[in-house]
Amino acid sequence: MEYAVNEKRAPRPEEIARFTTVSDVRLSPDGKQVAYVEGTMAKREGVAGSRIMIADAEGQKQPQLLGDGPAKEPRWSRDGNLLAFITCTPAVSLTIINQLTNKRTDIAIPQEAQRLEWSPDGRFLSFLSRQPAAEATGSTIDVAGSAVSEVRLHLYCLQSGRLVSKTIARHSISSYTWSPDSRQLAVTAVASAEPNAEKLYVLTLNESQQRFLATVSDMTIQFAWSPDGQTIVWCGREHTAGIGQIQLFRLEADPVITMPFCADFPGSIKWIGFLRDGRLVFAALKQFRVGIYVVRLDGGRVETLVDPFQLDSGSLGSGSFSQFTVSVSEDGQRYATTCSGPAEPGNVVTGSWNVSPQRITDYNSDVKSMTLGEVEELSWMAPDGLDIHGLLIKPVDYVEGRSYPLVVEIHGGPRRSWWNTCYLGHSWAQLLANQGYLVLLPNPRGSSGRGAEFVRANSCDLGGADLADVLTGVDDMIARGYADPEQLGIAGWSYGGFLAAWAITQTKRFKAAVIGASIVNWISWQGQSAMARQWASIHWGNRLIAYQNPERLIKRSPIHFVQNVQTPSLLLHGEQDQKIPAAQADEFYAALKALNVPVDYVKYQGEGHVLTEEAHQIDGMKRVVGWFKRYLR
């Protein structure tokens, strides 16, 4: 059956790759100015990948460029007189601009500097940087594990101009926060010999003293020190039973008292901080939208400061949640962050609590003139009765009562989520909607946004009930009359790529598949990726499962069922992917080719786990659309 393709102005891959992004929003302490990072969706020659912008917090003036080159991580001093950031080229430097005199100071710092912060008393600027491994000797013999490169914490003293480092022997520091009196720093660190377990330490500024607090239960998102100095609040992912995302470390006791906090919160926390009165403030995704909430550490109910539905359209947050921040003024009355929506890739917003936020930028305004498919929030019931939610993006020329070809696109993670944002760039959905396809974006068990129990619901069952959640979503679209059962496609990236690859080994209902950055062999992956053991501990319950119980992994590895595949498959992978090395795609391609299954395999040179180069992003988008056009229409 043929379907008309929309003839109005559709978004083009070349336009999408040139979208402007906003991130790392920082409100000045007096609440009057906002510094943020303006970036690009893709890297392209001759264009700064990121730069620092300054905007009026009321949106009365056009944002102004700060500095003259690629830069990142703007940070206000507590009095608001100094703004620091990291300048990335021609040499990496710590840049400090005096807001009163406009004087600029540049200090040479190590390469790969990141996580810049001020000490609360304004005496120090701190950051992390990887210590280079020992220089090569010219030998052609490479002994595994002999070249260890560790991440250290560096402190720059504004008064003396000295740069010193703090380290934990044979460990890499992964994150840190200052104590309110600026005398100590709490750090998370991983041992060089065992990079799959984060430990929490407290370091004393002027001494070599180190206090070990605990081995944290999960991957750290962020942690913060309470204003009274008595409690460290750690926020991780929701993978550990009985804990939720937040743990409190009460420092007055020795050994430290550890306790879970807000374990039953029905959402996924993406950022935490403190108000001046000692209340914990946090931003969290609930279902499809982000809200901001507050709670006292001594208990009590969680109160809403910014309702998820307070924005006139879309949601707080934009782009990747891995860079999501909220910034609060010194008096705790105003905030700044990002927002996005179906026709809005990302803007900066400011506001006061319980008042609708105000957009102070207007990036990518051309999107409003593009033809975009209508987005519908919906739910269906899984085979075991669990309620599953997702988004349906309809063809731009959708006609009620007519069935359409359907592509189900699965997100990565698995602890990620489809939410109320723009599906140009981070998804192929709107490109496909402009070609006459329905696109189902399911949030199966294991997704974020519905609390810790839902995140853990696919633990030790990857490719089991979560795949059933996806397939019943497809069944529901057919039952509603939306989807043509003879024209079904499937796509995904990272964990979504795994589920797509796994699905086509378990069912022949899909006529085309796009598989990006996918694991296909859980056992071989254990020997290829540095993150594999920690991932196996979290998601399979045993970091050594590949060696102690390989049968479980074999039963869920697409490569071991590849003989069942009949679905034409497009494989996309970054050649330098360290998380899921391209060797995984090599295996699947070789098998499909040997079995005479139609397959194309594109390996992008120099790319990691996601495609960042402009030409590669454009090529990937065009290939995805072309693949479904070839096999699904």
Side-chain angles (χ1 to χ4, degrees), residues 452-472:
E453 185 176 350
F454 192 80
V455 168
R456 292 194 300 272
N458 71 337
S459 180
C460 303
D461 185 36
L462 305 181
D466 53 3
L467 178 60
D469 296 341
V470 173
L471 297 181
T472 52

Side-chain angles (χ1 to χ4, degrees), residues 494-511:
S494 193
Y495 186 77
F498 158 70
L499 277 186
W502 179 240
I504 63 173
T505 71
Q506 304 302 302
T507 176
K508 296 177 175 60
R509 70 192 305 187
F510 295 108
K511 301 301 188 290

Side-chain angles (χ1 to χ4, degrees), residues 38-56:
E38 177 189 283
T40 54
M41 183 71 75
K43 296 178 183 176
R44 62 183 188 271
E45 190 173 352
V47 177
S50 64
R51 53 189 193 167
I52 307 301
M53 304 296 290
I54 293 283
D56 170 56

